[in-house]
PDB file of all heavy atoms in Angstrom:
ATOM      1  N   LEU A  56    -135.609  58.495  74.448  1.00  0.00           N
ATOM      2  CA  LEU A  56    -136.001  57.175  73.981  1.00  0.00           C
ATOM      3  C   LEU A  56    -135.671  57.047  72.507  1.00  0.00           C
ATOM      4  O   LEU A  56    -136.042  57.908  71.700  1.00  0.00           O
ATOM      5  CB  LEU A  56    -137.498  56.967  74.212  1.00  0.00           C
ATOM      6  CG  LEU A  56    -138.111  55.666  73.707  1.00  0.00           C
ATOM      7  CD1 LEU A  56    -137.529  54.474  74.464  1.00  0.00           C
ATOM      8  CD2 LEU A  56    -139.623  55.710  73.872  1.00  0.00           C
ATOM      9  N   VAL A  57    -134.979  55.980  72.146  1.00  0.00           N
ATOM     10  CA  VAL A  57    -134.563  55.780  70.770  1.00  0.00           C
ATOM     11  C   VAL A  57    -134.658  54.296  70.424  1.00  0.00           C
ATOM     12  O   VAL A  57    -134.382  53.445  71.267  1.00  0.00           O
ATOM     13  CB  VAL A  57    -133.127  56.320  70.550  1.00  0.00           C
ATOM     14  CG1 VAL A  57    -132.123  55.555  71.395  1.00  0.00           C
ATOM     15  CG2 VAL A  57    -132.741  56.286  69.085  1.00  0.00           C
ATOM     16  N   PRO A  58    -135.060  53.964  69.202  1.00  0.00           N
ATOM     17  CA  PRO A  58    -135.109  52.549  68.809  1.00  0.00           C
ATOM     18  C   PRO A  58    -133.716  51.955  68.672  1.00  0.00           C
ATOM     19  O   PRO A  58    -132.742  52.661  68.406  1.00  0.00           O
ATOM     20  CB  PRO A  58    -135.815  52.589  67.448  1.00  0.00           C
ATOM     21  CG  PRO A  58    -136.448  53.933  67.351  1.00  0.00           C
ATOM     22  CD  PRO A  58    -135.573  54.841  68.136  1.00  0.00           C
ATOM     23  N   ALA A  59    -133.614  50.657  68.848  1.00  0.00           N
ATOM     24  CA  ALA A  59    -132.353  49.978  68.608  1.00  0.00           C
ATOM     25  C   ALA A  59    -131.864  50.263  67.199  1.00  0.00           C
ATOM     26  O   ALA A  59    -132.646  50.262  66.246  1.00  0.00           O
ATOM     27  CB  ALA A  59    -132.514  48.479  68.827  1.00  0.00           C
ATOM     28  N   GLY A  60    -130.571  50.524  67.082  1.00  0.00           N
ATOM     29  CA  GLY A  60    -129.989  50.897  65.810  1.00  0.00           C
ATOM     30  C   GLY A  60    -129.952  52.386  65.562  1.00  0.00           C
ATOM     31  O   GLY A  60    -129.288  52.838  64.624  1.00  0.00           O
ATOM     32  N   GLY A  61    -130.625  53.139  66.396  1.00  0.00           N
ATOM     33  CA  GLY A  61    -130.678  54.578  66.250  1.00  0.00           C
ATOM     34  C   GLY A  61    -129.483  55.273  66.866  1.00  0.00           C
ATOM     35  O   GLY A  61    -128.547  54.640  67.360  1.00  0.00           O
ATOM     36  N   SER A  62    -129.539  56.604  66.844  1.00  0.00           N
ATOM     37  CA  SER A  62    -128.443  57.422  67.332  1.00  0.00           C
ATOM     38  C   SER A  62    -128.946  58.476  68.306  1.00  0.00           C
ATOM     39  O   SER A  62    -130.111  58.885  68.265  1.00  0.00           O
ATOM     40  CB  SER A  62    -127.728  58.122  66.172  1.00  0.00           C
ATOM     41  OG  SER A  62    -127.139  57.199  65.284  1.00  0.00           O
ATOM     42  N   LEU A  63    -128.046  58.908  69.160  1.00  0.00           N
ATOM     43  CA  LEU A  63    -128.349  59.936  70.136  1.00  0.00           C
ATOM     44  C   LEU A  63    -127.059  60.677  70.448  1.00  0.00           C
ATOM     45  O   LEU A  63    -125.984  60.067  70.472  1.00  0.00           O
ATOM     46  CB  LEU A  63    -128.924  59.308  71.400  1.00  0.00           C
ATOM     47  CG  LEU A  63    -129.925  60.094  72.249  1.00  0.00           C
ATOM     48  CD1 LEU A  63    -131.141  60.499  71.427  1.00  0.00           C
ATOM     49  CD2 LEU A  63    -130.356  59.245  73.436  1.00  0.00           C
ATOM     50  N   ARG A  64    -127.162  61.967  70.693  1.00  0.00           N
ATOM     51  CA  ARG A  64    -125.997  62.769  71.053  1.00  0.00           C
ATOM     52  C   ARG A  64    -126.212  63.401  72.416  1.00  0.00           C
ATOM     53  O   ARG A  64    -127.136  64.196  72.600  1.00  0.00           O
ATOM     54  CB  ARG A  64    -125.746  63.858  70.015  1.00  0.00           C
ATOM     55  CG  ARG A  64    -124.417  64.594  70.203  1.00  0.00           C
ATOM     56  CD  ARG A  64    -124.374  65.847  69.351  1.00  0.00           C
ATOM     57  NE  ARG A  64    -123.029  66.396  69.230  1.00  0.00           N
ATOM     58  CZ  ARG A  64    -122.751  67.620  68.806  1.00  0.00           C
ATOM     59  NH1 ARG A  64    -123.735  68.431  68.439  1.00  0.00           N
ATOM     60  NH2 ARG A  64    -121.493  68.031  68.722  1.00  0.00           N
ATOM     61  N   LEU A  65    -125.365  63.054  73.351  1.00  0.00           N
ATOM     62  CA  LEU A  65    -125.426  63.614  74.688  1.00  0.00           C
ATOM     63  C   LEU A  65    -124.484  64.803  74.801  1.00  0.00           C
ATOM     64  O   LEU A  65    -123.417  64.824  74.195  1.00  0.00           O
ATOM     65  CB  LEU A  65    -125.049  62.571  75.732  1.00  0.00           C
ATOM     66  CG  LEU A  65    -125.825  61.259  75.715  1.00  0.00           C
ATOM     67  CD1 LEU A  65    -125.364  60.376  76.869  1.00  0.00           C
ATOM     68  CD2 LEU A  65    -127.322  61.507  75.781  1.00  0.00           C
ATOM     69  N   SER A  66    -124.879  65.776  75.607  1.00  0.00           N
ATOM     70  CA  SER A  66    -124.058  66.947  75.865  1.00  0.00           C
ATOM     71  C   SER A  66    -123.775  67.060  77.350  1.00  0.00           C
ATOM     72  O   SER A  66    -124.602  66.691  78.178  1.00  0.00           O
ATOM     73  CB  SER A  66    -124.762  68.221  75.390  1.00  0.00           C
ATOM     74  OG  SER A  66    -124.983  68.205  74.000  1.00  0.00           O
ATOM     75  N   CYS A  67    -122.612  67.581  77.670  1.00  0.00           N
ATOM     76  CA  CYS A  67    -122.235  67.861  79.048  1.00  0.00           C
ATOM     77  C   CYS A  67    -121.658  69.262  79.096  1.00  0.00           C
ATOM     78  O   CYS A  67    -120.528  69.490  78.655  1.00  0.00           O
ATOM     79  CB  CYS A  67    -121.222  66.833  79.555  1.00  0.00           C
ATOM     80  SG  CYS A  67    -120.531  67.205  81.190  1.00  0.00           S
ATOM     81  N   GLU A  68    -122.447  70.191  79.604  1.00  0.00           N
ATOM     82  CA  GLU A  68    -122.011  71.570  79.711  1.00  0.00           C
ATOM     83  C   GLU A  68    -121.397  71.800  81.080  1.00  0.00           C
ATOM     84  O   GLU A  68    -122.037  71.550  82.100  1.00  0.00           O
ATOM     85  CB  GLU A  68    -123.183  72.519  79.484  1.00  0.00           C
ATOM     86  CG  GLU A  68    -122.783  73.981  79.479  1.00  0.00           C
ATOM     87  CD  GLU A  68    -123.933  74.912  79.176  1.00  0.00           C
ATOM     88  OE1 GLU A  68    -125.064  74.415  78.980  1.00  0.00           O
ATOM     89  OE2 GLU A  68    -123.720  76.135  79.124  1.00  0.00           O
ATOM     90  N   ALA A  69    -120.165  72.276  81.087  1.00  0.00           N
ATOM     91  CA  ALA A  69    -119.443  72.490  82.331  1.00  0.00           C
ATOM     92  C   ALA A  69    -119.415  73.968  82.696  1.00  0.00           C
ATOM     93  O   ALA A  69    -119.302  74.841  81.832  1.00  0.00           O
ATOM     94  CB  ALA A  69    -118.016  71.960  82.221  1.00  0.00           C
ATOM     95  N   SER A  70    -119.507  74.234  83.980  1.00  0.00           N
ATOM     96  CA  SER A  70    -119.313  75.576  84.511  1.00  0.00           C
ATOM     97  C   SER A  70    -118.464  75.469  85.767  1.00  0.00           C
ATOM     98  O   SER A  70    -118.502  74.466  86.471  1.00  0.00           O
ATOM     99  CB  SER A  70    -120.650  76.260  84.816  1.00  0.00           C
ATOM    100  OG  SER A  70    -121.399  75.521  85.772  1.00  0.00           O
ATOM    101  N   GLY A  71    -117.689  76.509  86.040  1.00  0.00           N
ATOM    102  CA  GLY A  71    -116.808  76.475  87.187  1.00  0.00           C
ATOM    103  C   GLY A  71    -115.540  75.676  86.973  1.00  0.00           C
ATOM    104  O   GLY A  71    -114.706  75.585  87.885  1.00  0.00           O
ATOM    105  N   LEU A  72    -115.388  75.083  85.823  1.00  0.00           N
ATOM    106  CA  LEU A  72    -114.173  74.398  85.434  1.00  0.00           C
ATOM    107  C   LEU A  72    -114.035  74.473  83.931  1.00  0.00           C
ATOM    108  O   LEU A  72    -115.033  74.546  83.213  1.00  0.00           O
ATOM    109  CB  LEU A  72    -114.151  72.946  85.924  1.00  0.00           C
ATOM    110  CG  LEU A  72    -115.186  71.966  85.371  1.00  0.00           C
ATOM    111  CD1 LEU A  72    -114.692  71.331  84.070  1.00  0.00           C
ATOM    112  CD2 LEU A  72    -115.488  70.885  86.397  1.00  0.00           C
ATOM    113  N   ALA A  73    -112.811  74.456  83.472  1.00  0.00           N
ATOM    114  CA  ALA A  73    -112.526  74.504  82.044  1.00  0.00           C
ATOM    115  C   ALA A  73    -112.233  73.095  81.559  1.00  0.00           C
ATOM    116  O   ALA A  73    -111.286  72.460  82.024  1.00  0.00           O
ATOM    117  CB  ALA A  73    -111.352  75.427  81.756  1.00  0.00           C
ATOM    118  N   ILE A  74    -113.016  72.620  80.614  1.00  0.00           N
ATOM    119  CA  ILE A  74    -112.880  71.228  80.200  1.00  0.00           C
ATOM    120  C   ILE A  74    -111.523  70.946  79.569  1.00  0.00           C
ATOM    121  O   ILE A  74    -111.074  69.798  79.581  1.00  0.00           O
ATOM    122  CB  ILE A  74    -114.008  70.812  79.233  1.00  0.00           C
ATOM    123  CG1 ILE A  74    -113.967  71.653  77.948  1.00  0.00           C
ATOM    124  CG2 ILE A  74    -115.366  70.922  79.921  1.00  0.00           C
ATOM    125  CD1 ILE A  74    -114.884  71.144  76.860  1.00  0.00           C
ATOM    126  N   ASN A  75    -110.878  71.954  79.038  1.00  0.00           N
ATOM    127  CA  ASN A  75    -109.588  71.737  78.397  1.00  0.00           C
ATOM    128  C   ASN A  75    -108.465  71.492  79.394  1.00  0.00           C
ATOM    129  O   ASN A  75    -107.358  71.111  78.994  1.00  0.00           O
ATOM    130  CB  ASN A  75    -109.234  72.900  77.472  1.00  0.00           C
ATOM    131  CG  ASN A  75    -109.029  74.204  78.208  1.00  0.00           C
ATOM    132  OD1 ASN A  75    -109.788  74.549  79.099  1.00  0.00           O
ATOM    133  ND2 ASN A  75    -107.991  74.942  77.826  1.00  0.00           N
ATOM    134  N   THR A  76    -108.713  71.702  80.676  1.00  0.00           N
ATOM    135  CA  THR A  76    -107.715  71.441  81.708  1.00  0.00           C
ATOM    136  C   THR A  76    -108.083  70.253  82.591  1.00  0.00           C
ATOM    137  O   THR A  76    -107.335  69.931  83.517  1.00  0.00           O
ATOM    138  CB  THR A  76    -107.506  72.678  82.597  1.00  0.00           C
ATOM    139  OG1 THR A  76    -108.705  72.967  83.321  1.00  0.00           O
ATOM    140  CG2 THR A  76    -107.102  73.881  81.749  1.00  0.00           C
ATOM    141  N   TYR A  77    -109.191  69.601  82.330  1.00  0.00           N
ATOM    142  CA  TYR A  77    -109.677  68.490  83.127  1.00  0.00           C
ATOM    143  C   TYR A  77    -109.743  67.206  82.313  1.00  0.00           C
ATOM    144  O   TYR A  77    -109.931  67.232  81.092  1.00  0.00           O
ATOM    145  CB  TYR A  77    -111.079  68.794  83.662  1.00  0.00           C
ATOM    146  CG  TYR A  77    -111.092  69.602  84.936  1.00  0.00           C
ATOM    147  CD1 TYR A  77    -110.717  70.939  84.934  1.00  0.00           C
ATOM    148  CD2 TYR A  77    -111.493  69.028  86.140  1.00  0.00           C
ATOM    149  CE1 TYR A  77    -110.727  71.684  86.103  1.00  0.00           C
ATOM    150  CE2 TYR A  77    -111.518  69.761  87.305  1.00  0.00           C
ATOM    151  CZ  TYR A  77    -111.139  71.091  87.284  1.00  0.00           C
ATOM    152  OH  TYR A  77    -111.166  71.826  88.446  1.00  0.00           O
ATOM    153  N   THR A  78    -109.583  66.104  83.021  1.00  0.00           N
ATOM    154  CA  THR A  78    -109.963  64.830  82.450  1.00  0.00           C
ATOM    155  C   THR A  78    -111.483  64.745  82.446  1.00  0.00           C
ATOM    156  O   THR A  78    -112.124  64.961  83.474  1.00  0.00           O
ATOM    157  CB  THR A  78    -109.383  63.662  83.256  1.00  0.00           C
ATOM    158  OG1 THR A  78    -107.964  63.659  83.122  1.00  0.00           O
ATOM    159  CG2 THR A  78    -109.932  62.331  82.764  1.00  0.00           C
ATOM    160  N   MET A  79    -112.054  64.471  81.298  1.00  0.00           N
ATOM    161  CA  MET A  79    -113.497  64.374  81.149  1.00  0.00           C
ATOM    162  C   MET A  79    -113.864  62.954  80.763  1.00  0.00           C
ATOM    163  O   MET A  79    -113.140  62.302  80.004  1.00  0.00           O
ATOM    164  CB  MET A  79    -113.997  65.350  80.089  1.00  0.00           C
ATOM    165  CG  MET A  79    -113.596  66.805  80.309  1.00  0.00           C
ATOM    166  SD  MET A  79    -114.284  67.511  81.834  1.00  0.00           S
ATOM    167  CE  MET A  79    -116.050  67.400  81.506  1.00  0.00           C
ATOM    168  N   ALA A  80    -114.992  62.503  81.253  1.00  0.00           N
ATOM    169  CA  ALA A  80    -115.394  61.134  80.973  1.00  0.00           C
ATOM    170  C   ALA A  80    -116.905  60.997  81.002  1.00  0.00           C
ATOM    171  O   ALA A  80    -117.625  61.836  81.557  1.00  0.00           O
ATOM    172  CB  ALA A  80    -114.767  60.174  81.981  1.00  0.00           C
ATOM    173  N   TRP A  81    -117.365  59.913  80.397  1.00  0.00           N
ATOM    174  CA  TRP A  81    -118.761  59.506  80.451  1.00  0.00           C
ATOM    175  C   TRP A  81    -118.848  58.149  81.126  1.00  0.00           C
ATOM    176  O   TRP A  81    -118.079  57.235  80.809  1.00  0.00           O
ATOM    177  CB  TRP A  81    -119.376  59.423  79.053  1.00  0.00           C
ATOM    178  CG  TRP A  81    -119.583  60.749  78.395  1.00  0.00           C
ATOM    179  CD1 TRP A  81    -118.743  61.384  77.541  1.00  0.00           C
ATOM    180  CD2 TRP A  81    -120.733  61.593  78.535  1.00  0.00           C
ATOM    181  NE1 TRP A  81    -119.288  62.573  77.130  1.00  0.00           N
ATOM    182  CE2 TRP A  81    -120.502  62.734  77.724  1.00  0.00           C
ATOM    183  CE3 TRP A  81    -121.921  61.501  79.253  1.00  0.00           C
ATOM    184  CZ2 TRP A  81    -121.436  63.772  77.626  1.00  0.00           C
ATOM    185  CZ3 TRP A  81    -122.840  62.538  79.153  1.00  0.00           C
ATOM    186  CH2 TRP A  81    -122.594  63.647  78.351  1.00  0.00           C
ATOM    187  N   PHE A  82    -119.785  58.035  82.036  1.00  0.00           N
ATOM    188  CA  PHE A  82    -120.114  56.783  82.685  1.00  0.00           C
ATOM    189  C   PHE A  82    -121.601  56.518  82.502  1.00  0.00           C
ATOM    190  O   PHE A  82    -122.363  57.416  82.140  1.00  0.00           O
ATOM    191  CB  PHE A  82    -119.783  56.824  84.178  1.00  0.00           C
ATOM    192  CG  PHE A  82    -118.314  56.875  84.479  1.00  0.00           C
ATOM    193  CD1 PHE A  82    -117.611  58.063  84.417  1.00  0.00           C
ATOM    194  CD2 PHE A  82    -117.626  55.724  84.839  1.00  0.00           C
ATOM    195  CE1 PHE A  82    -116.261  58.119  84.699  1.00  0.00           C
ATOM    196  CE2 PHE A  82    -116.274  55.759  85.128  1.00  0.00           C
ATOM    197  CZ  PHE A  82    -115.591  56.957  85.055  1.00  0.00           C
ATOM    198  N   ARG A  83    -122.014  55.303  82.765  1.00  0.00           N
ATOM    199  CA  ARG A  83    -123.431  54.985  82.726  1.00  0.00           C
ATOM    200  C   ARG A  83    -123.770  54.002  83.830  1.00  0.00           C
ATOM    201  O   ARG A  83    -122.920  53.257  84.307  1.00  0.00           O
ATOM    202  CB  ARG A  83    -123.850  54.433  81.360  1.00  0.00           C
ATOM    203  CG  ARG A  83    -123.254  53.078  81.015  1.00  0.00           C
ATOM    204  CD  ARG A  83    -123.580  52.716  79.575  1.00  0.00           C
ATOM    205  NE  ARG A  83    -123.074  51.397  79.214  1.00  0.00           N
ATOM    206  CZ  ARG A  83    -123.110  50.907  77.983  1.00  0.00           C
ATOM    207  NH1 ARG A  83    -123.639  51.625  76.987  1.00  0.00           N
ATOM    208  NH2 ARG A  83    -122.631  49.690  77.736  1.00  0.00           N
ATOM    209  N   GLN A  84    -125.031  54.017  84.213  1.00  0.00           N
ATOM    210  CA  GLN A  84    -125.482  53.144  85.281  1.00  0.00           C
ATOM    211  C   GLN A  84    -126.928  52.743  85.034  1.00  0.00           C
ATOM    212  O   GLN A  84    -127.806  53.595  84.924  1.00  0.00           O
ATOM    213  CB  GLN A  84    -125.352  53.833  86.639  1.00  0.00           C
ATOM    214  CG  GLN A  84    -125.633  52.939  87.827  1.00  0.00           C
ATOM    215  CD  GLN A  84    -125.238  53.592  89.136  1.00  0.00           C
ATOM    216  OE1 GLN A  84    -125.135  54.811  89.232  1.00  0.00           O
ATOM    217  NE2 GLN A  84    -125.001  52.783  90.150  1.00  0.00           N
ATOM    218  N   ALA A  85    -127.145  51.450  84.947  1.00  0.00           N
ATOM    219  CA  ALA A  85    -128.484  50.904  84.849  1.00  0.00           C
ATOM    220  C   ALA A  85    -128.979  50.548  86.246  1.00  0.00           C
ATOM    221  O   ALA A  85    -128.174  50.302  87.149  1.00  0.00           O
ATOM    222  CB  ALA A  85    -128.485  49.673  83.952  1.00  0.00           C
ATOM    223  N   PRO A  86    -130.292  50.512  86.458  1.00  0.00           N
ATOM    224  CA  PRO A  86    -130.828  50.182  87.778  1.00  0.00           C
ATOM    225  C   PRO A  86    -130.288  48.861  88.306  1.00  0.00           C
ATOM    226  O   PRO A  86    -130.300  47.850  87.601  1.00  0.00           O
ATOM    227  CB  PRO A  86    -132.333  50.111  87.540  1.00  0.00           C
ATOM    228  CG  PRO A  86    -132.565  51.017  86.380  1.00  0.00           C
ATOM    229  CD  PRO A  86    -131.361  50.835  85.501  1.00  0.00           C
ATOM    230  N   GLY A  87    -129.788  48.878  89.526  1.00  0.00           N
ATOM    231  CA  GLY A  87    -129.248  47.686  90.144  1.00  0.00           C
ATOM    232  C   GLY A  87    -127.824  47.361  89.770  1.00  0.00           C
ATOM    233  O   GLY A  87    -127.241  46.416  90.322  1.00  0.00           O
ATOM    234  N   ASN A  88    -127.262  48.111  88.837  1.00  0.00           N
ATOM    235  CA  ASN A  88    -125.896  47.871  88.396  1.00  0.00           C
ATOM    236  C   ASN A  88    -124.948  48.938  88.920  1.00  0.00           C
ATOM    237  O   ASN A  88    -125.362  50.020  89.328  1.00  0.00           O
ATOM    238  CB  ASN A  88    -125.822  47.836  86.871  1.00  0.00           C
ATOM    239  CG  ASN A  88    -126.525  46.649  86.268  1.00  0.00           C
ATOM    240  OD1 ASN A  88    -126.886  45.703  86.969  1.00  0.00           O
ATOM    241  ND2 ASN A  88    -126.734  46.686  84.960  1.00  0.00           N
ATOM    242  N   GLU A  89    -123.668  48.617  88.879  1.00  0.00           N
ATOM    243  CA  GLU A  89    -122.652  49.584  89.247  1.00  0.00           C
ATOM    244  C   GLU A  89    -122.419  50.556  88.103  1.00  0.00           C
ATOM    245  O   GLU A  89    -122.684  50.251  86.941  1.00  0.00           O
ATOM    246  CB  GLU A  89    -121.344  48.877  89.605  1.00  0.00           C
ATOM    247  CG  GLU A  89    -121.421  48.002  90.833  1.00  0.00           C
ATOM    248  CD  GLU A  89    -120.096  47.376  91.194  1.00  0.00           C
ATOM    249  OE1 GLU A  89    -119.114  47.573  90.442  1.00  0.00           O
ATOM    250  OE2 GLU A  89    -120.026  46.695  92.226  1.00  0.00           O
ATOM    251  N   ARG A  90    -121.933  51.704  88.454  1.00  0.00           N
ATOM    252  CA  ARG A  90    -121.597  52.687  87.450  1.00  0.00           C
ATOM    253  C   ARG A  90    -120.391  52.192  86.645  1.00  0.00           C
ATOM    254  O   ARG A  90    -119.385  51.764  87.206  1.00  0.00           O
ATOM    255  CB  ARG A  90    -121.284  54.024  88.110  1.00  0.00           C
ATOM    256  CG  ARG A  90    -121.229  55.196  87.161  1.00  0.00           C
ATOM    257  CD  ARG A  90    -121.347  56.513  87.921  1.00  0.00           C
ATOM    258  NE  ARG A  90    -122.623  56.621  88.609  1.00  0.00           N
ATOM    259  CZ  ARG A  90    -123.056  57.716  89.226  1.00  0.00           C
ATOM    260  NH1 ARG A  90    -122.301  58.805  89.237  1.00  0.00           N
ATOM    261  NH2 ARG A  90    -124.231  57.721  89.833  1.00  0.00           N
ATOM    262  N   GLU A  91    -120.500  52.247  85.329  1.00  0.00           N
ATOM    263  CA  GLU A  91    -119.440  51.738  84.481  1.00  0.00           C
ATOM    264  C   GLU A  91    -118.929  52.795  83.513  1.00  0.00           C
ATOM    265  O   GLU A  91    -119.676  53.656  83.034  1.00  0.00           O
ATOM    266  CB  GLU A  91    -119.898  50.495  83.703  1.00  0.00           C
ATOM    267  CG  GLU A  91    -120.989  50.756  82.683  1.00  0.00           C
ATOM    268  CD  GLU A  91    -121.301  49.544  81.830  1.00  0.00           C
ATOM    269  OE1 GLU A  91    -120.512  48.584  81.835  1.00  0.00           O
ATOM    270  OE2 GLU A  91    -122.346  49.556  81.155  1.00  0.00           O
ATOM    271  N   PHE A  92    -117.668  52.681  83.209  1.00  0.00           N
ATOM    272  CA  PHE A  92    -117.002  53.591  82.294  1.00  0.00           C
ATOM    273  C   PHE A  92    -117.508  53.399  80.877  1.00  0.00           C
ATOM    274  O   PHE A  92    -117.721  52.274  80.421  1.00  0.00           O
ATOM    275  CB  PHE A  92    -115.495  53.344  82.352  1.00  0.00           C
ATOM    276  CG  PHE A  92    -114.692  54.113  81.349  1.00  0.00           C
ATOM    277  CD1 PHE A  92    -114.323  55.422  81.590  1.00  0.00           C
ATOM    278  CD2 PHE A  92    -114.282  53.519  80.169  1.00  0.00           C
ATOM    279  CE1 PHE A  92    -113.565  56.132  80.680  1.00  0.00           C
ATOM    280  CE2 PHE A  92    -113.522  54.206  79.251  1.00  0.00           C
ATOM    281  CZ  PHE A  92    -113.166  55.519  79.506  1.00  0.00           C
ATOM    282  N   VAL A  93    -117.685  54.502  80.176  1.00  0.00           N
ATOM    283  CA  VAL A  93    -118.095  54.473  78.779  1.00  0.00           C
ATOM    284  C   VAL A  93    -117.010  55.051  77.877  1.00  0.00           C
ATOM    285  O   VAL A  93    -116.562  54.406  76.928  1.00  0.00           O
ATOM    286  CB  VAL A  93    -119.409  55.240  78.560  1.00  0.00           C
ATOM    287  CG1 VAL A  93    -119.768  55.282  77.075  1.00  0.00           C
ATOM    288  CG2 VAL A  93    -120.536  54.614  79.371  1.00  0.00           C
ATOM    289  N   ALA A  94    -116.596  56.273  78.160  1.00  0.00           N
ATOM    290  CA  ALA A  94    -115.598  56.949  77.343  1.00  0.00           C
ATOM    291  C   ALA A  94    -114.894  57.995  78.187  1.00  0.00           C
ATOM    292  O   ALA A  94    -115.487  58.580  79.090  1.00  0.00           O
ATOM    293  CB  ALA A  94    -116.232  57.608  76.124  1.00  0.00           C
ATOM    294  N   GLY A  95    -113.625  58.254  77.879  1.00  0.00           N
ATOM    295  CA  GLY A  95    -112.876  59.239  78.630  1.00  0.00           C
ATOM    296  C   GLY A  95    -111.830  59.939  77.788  1.00  0.00           C
ATOM    297  O   GLY A  95    -111.308  59.370  76.823  1.00  0.00           O
ATOM    298  N   ASP A  96    -111.540  61.172  78.163  1.00  0.00           N
ATOM    299  CA  ASP A  96    -110.535  62.001  77.501  1.00  0.00           C
ATOM    300  C   ASP A  96    -109.557  62.439  78.570  1.00  0.00           C
ATOM    301  O   ASP A  96    -109.828  63.371  79.322  1.00  0.00           O
ATOM    302  CB  ASP A  96    -111.200  63.192  76.813  1.00  0.00           C
ATOM    303  CG  ASP A  96    -110.218  64.065  76.044  1.00  0.00           C
ATOM    304  OD1 ASP A  96    -108.998  63.814  76.090  1.00  0.00           O
ATOM    305  OD2 ASP A  96    -110.680  65.012  75.372  1.00  0.00           O
ATOM    306  N   PHE A  97    -108.422  61.758  78.648  1.00  0.00           N
ATOM    307  CA  PHE A  97    -107.462  62.010  79.707  1.00  0.00           C
ATOM    308  C   PHE A  97    -106.841  63.388  79.565  1.00  0.00           C
ATOM    309  O   PHE A  97    -106.218  63.691  78.535  1.00  0.00           O
ATOM    310  CB  PHE A  97    -106.373  60.941  79.696  1.00  0.00           C
ATOM    311  CG  PHE A  97    -105.369  61.086  80.792  1.00  0.00           C
ATOM    312  CD1 PHE A  97    -105.745  60.941  82.117  1.00  0.00           C
ATOM    313  CD2 PHE A  97    -104.045  61.364  80.504  1.00  0.00           C
ATOM    314  CE1 PHE A  97    -104.819  61.069  83.139  1.00  0.00           C
ATOM    315  CE2 PHE A  97    -103.114  61.491  81.512  1.00  0.00           C
ATOM    316  CZ  PHE A  97    -103.504  61.343  82.837  1.00  0.00           C
ATOM    317  N   ARG A  98    -107.037  64.209  80.564  1.00  0.00           N
ATOM    318  CA  ARG A  98    -106.535  65.580  80.610  1.00  0.00           C
ATOM    319  C   ARG A  98    -106.958  66.400  79.395  1.00  0.00           C
ATOM    320  O   ARG A  98    -106.338  67.388  79.058  1.00  0.00           O
ATOM    321  CB  ARG A  98    -105.018  65.610  80.779  1.00  0.00           C
ATOM    322  CG  ARG A  98    -104.557  65.026  82.094  1.00  0.00           C
ATOM    323  CD  ARG A  98    -103.055  65.051  82.232  1.00  0.00           C
ATOM    324  NE  ARG A  98    -102.624  64.489  83.499  1.00  0.00           N
ATOM    325  CZ  ARG A  98    -101.362  64.333  83.861  1.00  0.00           C
ATOM    326  NH1 ARG A  98    -100.384  64.707  83.042  1.00  0.00           N
ATOM    327  NH2 ARG A  98    -101.074  63.803  85.036  1.00  0.00           N
ATOM    328  N   SER A  99    -108.005  65.951  78.745  1.00  0.00           N
ATOM    329  CA  SER A  99    -108.564  66.619  77.568  1.00  0.00           C
ATOM    330  C   SER A  99    -107.531  66.799  76.460  1.00  0.00           C
ATOM    331  O   SER A  99    -107.559  67.795  75.735  1.00  0.00           O
ATOM    332  CB  SER A  99    -109.175  67.971  77.952  1.00  0.00           C
ATOM    333  OG  SER A  99    -110.286  67.801  78.804  1.00  0.00           O
ATOM    334  N   TYR A 100    -106.642  65.826  76.337  1.00  0.00           N
ATOM    335  CA  TYR A 100    -105.642  65.866  75.274  1.00  0.00           C
ATOM    336  C   TYR A 100    -106.235  65.599  73.896  1.00  0.00           C
ATOM    337  O   TYR A 100    -105.622  65.906  72.883  1.00  0.00           O
ATOM    338  CB  TYR A 100    -104.543  64.842  75.540  1.00  0.00           C
ATOM    339  CG  TYR A 100    -103.582  65.202  76.639  1.00  0.00           C
ATOM    340  CD1 TYR A 100    -102.731  64.236  77.166  1.00  0.00           C
ATOM    341  CD2 TYR A 100    -103.499  66.485  77.147  1.00  0.00           C
ATOM    342  CE1 TYR A 100    -101.836  64.547  78.175  1.00  0.00           C
ATOM    343  CE2 TYR A 100    -102.605  66.808  78.151  1.00  0.00           C
ATOM    344  CZ  TYR A 100    -101.777  65.831  78.661  1.00  0.00           C
ATOM    345  OH  TYR A 100    -100.873  66.143  79.658  1.00  0.00           O
TER     346      TYR A 100
END
């Protein structure tokens, strides 16, 4: 929980795959909504 205007840092720890060889992305989904794209790193370039 954070106030409007604030900051937050999310982490995604991967196991069983190497992030440097995968496309990695962040999506988000609010209740009743479809999952939407937030940010992506194509092939981890």
Side-chain angles (χ1 to χ4, degrees):
L56 176 65
V57 63
S62 297
L63 210 58
R64 189 193 195 196
L65 306 183
S66 298
C67 173
E68 184 177 1
S70 60
L72 65 87
I74 62 170
N75 65 317
T76 65
Y77 276 70
T78 293
M79 305 297 298
W81 289 94
F82 291 81
R83 67 188 182 187
Q84 187 169 22
N88 292 347
E89 295 183 357
R90 193 162 298 188
E91 66 173 346
F92 174 83
V93 176
D96 183 356
F97 183 65
R98 296 179 180 177
S99 295
Y100 286 166

